[in-house]
């Protein structure tokens, strides 16, 4: 359970802008004492104070029903929206092509201060309207079977790919072919691979007699043949495999419509 909690914390921590994590979203925790060693993502939604963009992430600082909310958006002024949201929540705002400044009139939020006017937007809006990568979300599944069963998309994943040193070896990424898809799932195992994940899953054991992971996925690939070392750490396997699959993914799927889960 501690390993799952640590994984969830780090994968929720990394996609946030650093100052947002420290000040509002994620308090100090023993599991994050080495979080400074995590590689910075510097993703497009991690904007600097000197940058202006149509969309920006913010954290709700204060909220009053009927008056709206104030948000920290990483600028010298807070942003104001008309909706009253729960505090300490991370949201996406549409700020417009140019800053729109206003003097706050709402007494409950601190009337008289200069703020930036924003509008609440869906997290997918930057990608859908501008093609801008806007980070990722984390879903905690307690078993491999739940990864499939709790698919957040309507229907299920229409292409599933497992990664393993015992998987199919392709001469190079340029030879790998993916069929067209809308929702892609890429599976990574622990130190003993997806095979152990299958063996430790009672639901899969009940559904299949002697289930094998290569039968659970549409494709079962070895993305690092002749690896040399006995094992590859999962965080290393993710980077290796995503690079390996990149050309096959984009070959059939427009980037603006890509919805992939890892």
């Amino acid at each position: 359970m501690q390993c799952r909690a640590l994984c969830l914390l780090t994968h929720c921590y990394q996609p946030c802008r650093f100052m947002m994590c420290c000040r509002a979203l994620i308090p100090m925790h023993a599991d994050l004492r080495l979080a400074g060693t995590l590689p910075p993502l510097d993703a497009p939604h991690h904007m600097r104070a000197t940058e202006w963009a149509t969309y920006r992430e913010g954290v709700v600082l204060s909220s009053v029903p009927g008056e709206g909310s104030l948000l920290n958006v990483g600028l010298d002024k807070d942003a104001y929206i008309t909706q009253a949201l729960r505090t300490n929540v991370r949201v996406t705002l549409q700020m417009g092509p140019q800053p729109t400044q206003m003097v706050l009139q709402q007494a409950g939020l601190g009337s008289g201060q200069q703020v930036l006017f924003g509008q609440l937007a869906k997290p997918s809006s930057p990608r859908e309207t501008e093609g801008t990568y806007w980070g990722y979300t984390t879903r905690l599944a307690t078993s491999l079977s739940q990864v499939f069963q709790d698919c957040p998309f309507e229907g299920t994943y229409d292409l599933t790919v497992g990664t393993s040193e015992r998987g199919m070896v392709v001469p190079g990424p340029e030879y790998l072919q993916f069929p067209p898809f809308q929702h892609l799932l890429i599976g990574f195992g622990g130190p003993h691979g997806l095979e152990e994940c299958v063996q430790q899953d009672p639901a899969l054991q009940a559904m299949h007699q002697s289930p094998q992971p290569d039968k659970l996925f549409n494709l079962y690939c070895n993305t690092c043949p002749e690896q040399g070392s006995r094992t590859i750490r999962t965080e290393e396997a993710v980077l290796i495999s995503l690079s390996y699959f990149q050309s096959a993914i984009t070959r059939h799927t427009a980037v603006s419509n890509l919805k992939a889960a890892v």
Side-chain angles (χ1 to χ4, degrees):
M1 186 61 187
Q2 289 181 343
C3 293
R4 290 199 298 266
L6 179 59
C7 182
L8 182 61
L9 281 169
T10 54
H11 284 81
C12 288
Y13 181 94
Q14 269 195 295
C16 301
R17 288 180 58 244
F18 174 71
M19 293 309 294
M20 286 186 183
C21 290
C22 292
R23 291 181 177 179
L25 289 181
I26 302 178
M28 294 293 292
H29 193 282
D31 285 345
L32 289 175
R33 65 187 182 279
L34 299 178
T37 63
L38 293 170
L41 297 183
D42 201 20
H45 61 301
H46 293 184
M47 280 176 284
R48 296 163 178 81
T50 56
E51 295 178 301
W52 183 265
T54 304
Y55 295 96
R56 203 171 188 96
E57 283 203 326
V59 176
V60 182
L61 300 175
S62 59
S63 177
V64 177
E67 295 191 1
S69 304
L70 285 180
L71 299 94
N72 173 13
V73 291
L75 297 172
D76 58 349
K77 295 181 177 65
D78 292 333
Y80 167 76
I81 60 173
T82 57
Q83 296 91 340
L85 304 180
R86 183 164 52 91
T87 57
N88 296 332
V89 172
R90 172 186 168 201
V91 297
T92 298
L93 299 184
Q94 183 176 5
M95 304 295 292
Q98 298 294 331
T100 301
Q101 299 191 39
M102 57 177 285
V103 177
L104 199 63
Q105 303 295 325
Q106 288 75 5
L109 295 174
S111 61
Q113 61 176 306
Q114 288 273 349
V115 295
L116 298 168
F117 181 75
Q119 293 179 300
L120 195 63
K122 298 187 299 182
S124 59
S125 294
R127 174 177 55 81
E128 293 172 348
T129 61
E130 299 181 342
T132 302
Y133 174 70
W134 210 246
Y136 56 86
T137 58
T138 301
R139 174 169 65 93
L140 180 62
T142 58
S143 64
L144 183 58
S145 57
Q146 278 200 344
V147 171
F148 292 93
Q149 294 169 1
D150 298 340
C151 174
F153 307 117
E154 184 178 352
T156 186
Y157 300 107
D158 50 3
L159 178 61
T160 59
V161 181
T163 60
S164 171
E165 62 181 322
R166 288 167 283 278
M168 172 186 65
V169 175
V170 178
E174 65 275 15
Y175 297 101
L176 184 63
Q177 298 289 333
F178 280 178
F181 66 90
Q182 286 295 316
H183 306 295
L184 167 65
L185 172 71
I186 302 175
F188 299 89
H192 301 289
L194 286 167
E195 289 78 8
E196 184 183 48
C197 297
V198 172
Q199 294 171 3
Q200 299 297 323
D201 192 327
L204 291 177
Q205 294 293 329
M207 290 190 309
H208 307 278
Q209 185 176 7
S210 300
Q212 298 298 320
D214 59 333
K215 306 301 181 184
L216 297 176
F217 295 89
N218 300 126
L219 295 173
Y220 204 58
C221 298
N222 182 351
T223 59
C224 190
E226 302 178 11
Q227 64 188 44
S229 61
R230 290 190 181 92
T231 60
I232 296 178
R233 296 174 64 89
T234 303
E235 62 268 28
E236 297 168 341
V238 170
L239 298 177
I240 293 170
S241 298
L242 291 183
S243 299
Y244 189 89
F245 293 140
Q246 182 65 27
S247 59
I249 291 173
T250 56
R251 195 173 296 130
H252 294 295
T253 308
V255 173
S256 60
N257 293 326
L258 178 61
K259 299 175 182 177
V262 177

